[in-house]
Amino acid sequence: MKKTPLNRIHRELGARMVDFGGWEMPVQYTGVIDEHLATRSAAGLFDVSHMGEIEVRGAGALDYIQQLTVNDASRLVDGQVQYSAICYPHGGVVDDVTLYRFAADRFLFCVNAANTDKDFAWMQQVLDEGDFADVELRNLSDDYAQLALQGPKAEAILSRLTRCELPSIKYYHFAEGQVAGVPAIISRTGYTGEDGFELYFASEAAESIWEALMAAGEADGMKPCGLGARDTLRLEMKYALYGHEISAEISPLEAGLGWITKLDKPSFIGREALLRQKGEGIPRRLVGLVMTDPGIPRQDYPVYDGDEQVGVVTSGTMSPSLKVGIALALVRPECSSVGKELQIGIRSRKVGCRVAKTPFIKNRRS
């Protein structure tokens, strides 16, 4: 398995390590619920150095990205971040990504860890088969480490280690500065629904920055957090996870990502298939479910309307914030209205649930 630059520290902290997409990663330290609630109330520090970074440079960079992604990258200005997706011609998702604009001829994609090699190969294929002037792709994943500092006290903690004017960095914007004396990209983004930052910097600086952040956040109750809490936090916000809510078989329209899918763009890969899907009627929709009977929903559990199966759970957990079972599920459109009573098949029984308004909790980021 691949290891991040912080593997030694995770082991010294007693983290339980697991295989995640070919990476040895911490799933928890003190416990998923403890880490989840610390992030919601104070701050959590996550090692996300397994994520991939792919740079696009050249005069034709924007034209290339416009063809590659579903969102409209022409709306970006320098220092802005965009959530987007890359699709196959049939409308399924290659990956969901965040896109950073540094200049008109320089962009950086952050991609999902398990997809990095696949994404880079697809991006290179699109480049090779297209007519794009002076575009260069570089997989810089080995050069970067990445930490996510999330929670209502994240700004106060980070401010002790940087001279960067953090209040001036708006949501989904970034700045280049220093953290603990190390050059870094400081991005006001995250995967938790809380305010916070994602920090990119040279891999060899990972241990020193981790230790500086942990020391800076100790008095505020910040805790190291693993993949378990990262998953429950994103699920409470209805944030998609590749391989669950989106995949090569699930379109962005089915996954509720129509808001990033700009079908009015003249051309992008997958546009025709997505237009056709929208015109014919989206066959299934992603909804949030809250259990009305005791039970914890899990991925691949069937969803019923009476005796008929109408969908499947894509992600599920016991919500640490709400103390009730919650799930995301793909269901038939006629079963997607908020308040609709459904059932989830848990082992040999059908357990009651209800389509809920999402996100399950209020988004508390600034």
Side-chain angles (χ1 to χ4, degrees), residues 51 70 83-88 90-98 110-115 118-119 191 231 234 238-261 274 277 284-287 299-300 312-315 328-330:
M51 300 292 279
V70 303
Y83 180 55
S84 191
I86 300 171
C87 281
Y88 293 109
H90 72 273
V93 178
V94 180
D95 204 1
D96 65 326
V97 299
T98 46
C110 180
V111 305
N112 284 298
N115 291 340
K118 177 195 72 175
D119 289 358
Y191 199 46
D231 193 54
R234 70 94 190 169
K238 199 192 174 188
Y239 290 161
L241 177 63
Y242 191 88
H244 294 251
E245 288 70 46
I246 47 177
S247 72
E249 290 74 44
I250 304 170
S251 80
L253 300 182
E254 292 174 301
L257 297 177
W259 61 279
I260 66 167
T261 307
L274 294 171
Q277 185 178 79
R284 51 190 178 169
R285 295 185 180 276
L286 186 70
V287 299
Q299 183 183 11
D300 295 330
V312 64
V313 171
T314 57
S315 298
L328 301 180
L330 285 167

Side-chain angles (χ1 to χ4, degrees), residues 38-353:
T39 304
R40 291 275 184 245
S41 63
L45 185 62
F46 302 77
D47 177 13
V48 286
S49 301
H50 59 313
M51 300 292 279
E53 292 84 17
I54 299 172
E55 185 183 65
V56 184
R57 281 183 181 264
L62 180 58
D63 289 340
Y64 165 74
I65 290 167
Q66 286 289 75
Q67 181 69 15
L68 182 72
T69 65
V70 303
N71 211 333
D72 186 359
S74 70
R75 299 180 180 181
L76 288 173
V77 298
D78 294 355
Q80 190 174 6
V81 190
Q82 184 179 76
Y83 180 55
S84 191
I86 300 171
C87 281
Y88 293 109
H90 72 273
V93 178
V94 180
D95 204 1
D96 65 326
V97 299
T98 46
L99 175 64
Y100 290 73
R101 173 174 163 147
F102 290 83
D105 60 353
R106 181 188 170 208
F107 296 80
L108 185 72
F109 281 103
C110 180
V111 305
N112 284 298
N115 291 340
T116 301
D117 292 340
K118 177 195 72 175
D119 289 358
F120 187 75
W122 176 255
M123 293 167 75
Q124 189 65 58
Q125 179 180 333
V126 172
L127 179 59
D128 292 342
E129 294 177 353
D131 183 20
F132 304 105
D134 184 31
V135 176
E136 178 187 7
L137 286 180
R138 291 200 298 162
N139 187 347
L140 302 180
S141 302
D142 291 340
D143 298 341
Y144 282 104
Q146 187 187 155
L147 295 178
L149 172 61
Q150 302 282 296
K153 297 184 180 180
E155 183 179 295
I157 292 167
L158 185 57
S159 69
R160 296 163 192 154
L161 298 174
T162 183
R163 294 181 179 179
C164 190
E165 291 293 330
L166 299 179
S168 67
I169 304 176
K170 300 176 183 177
Y171 186 54
Y172 262 70
H173 287 73
F174 70 95
E176 294 180 89
Q178 289 193 347
V179 175
V182 175
I185 300 167
I186 303 170
S187 174
R188 198 165 208 138
T189 47
Y191 199 46
T192 64
E194 299 294 335
D195 188 24
F197 301 88
E198 291 173 315
L199 310 172
Y200 300 77
F201 45 86
S203 296
E204 56 268 23
E207 289 193 358
S208 64
I209 290 185
W210 172 278
E211 291 171 349
L213 284 166
M214 288 301 299
E218 182 178 6
D220 290 299
M222 185 178 77
K223 295 192 174 183
C225 299
L227 293 176
R230 191 165 186 256
D231 193 54
T232 55
L233 288 158
R234 70 94 190 169
L235 214 163
E236 288 184 344
M237 299 309 303
K238 199 192 174 188
Y239 290 161
L241 177 63
Y242 191 88
H244 294 251
E245 288 70 46
I246 47 177
S247 72
E249 290 74 44
I250 304 170
S251 80
L253 300 182
E254 292 174 301
L257 297 177
W259 61 279
I260 66 167
T261 307
K262 307 303 183 184
L263 295 173
D264 55 347
K265 275 206 311 185
S267 175
F268 63 84
I269 297 168
R271 179 176 181 269
E272 289 73 21
L274 294 171
L275 280 170
R276 185 164 56 252
Q277 185 178 79
K278 183 177 181 179
E280 293 173 353
I282 299 170
R284 51 190 178 169
R285 295 185 180 276
L286 186 70
V287 299
L289 301 174
V290 171
M291 303 304 297
T292 53
D293 291 330
I296 302 176
R298 300 296 185 192
Q299 183 183 11
D300 295 330
Y301 284 5
V303 180
Y304 296 94
D305 185 5
D307 294 331
E308 186 176 14
Q309 183 175 348
V310 296
V312 64
V313 171
T314 57
S315 298
T317 194
M318 173 64 71
S319 165
S321 299
L322 302 176
K323 297 179 175 58
V324 67
I326 62 172
L328 301 180
L330 285 167
V331 302
R332 295 179 187 173
E334 61 269 23
C335 297
S336 63
S337 299
V338 172
K340 172 71 175 176
E341 300 284 346
L342 296 169
Q343 303 84 40
I344 294 177
I346 301 180
R347 300 182 182 87
S348 60
R349 61 195 180 98
K350 294 179 182 177
V351 181
C353 63

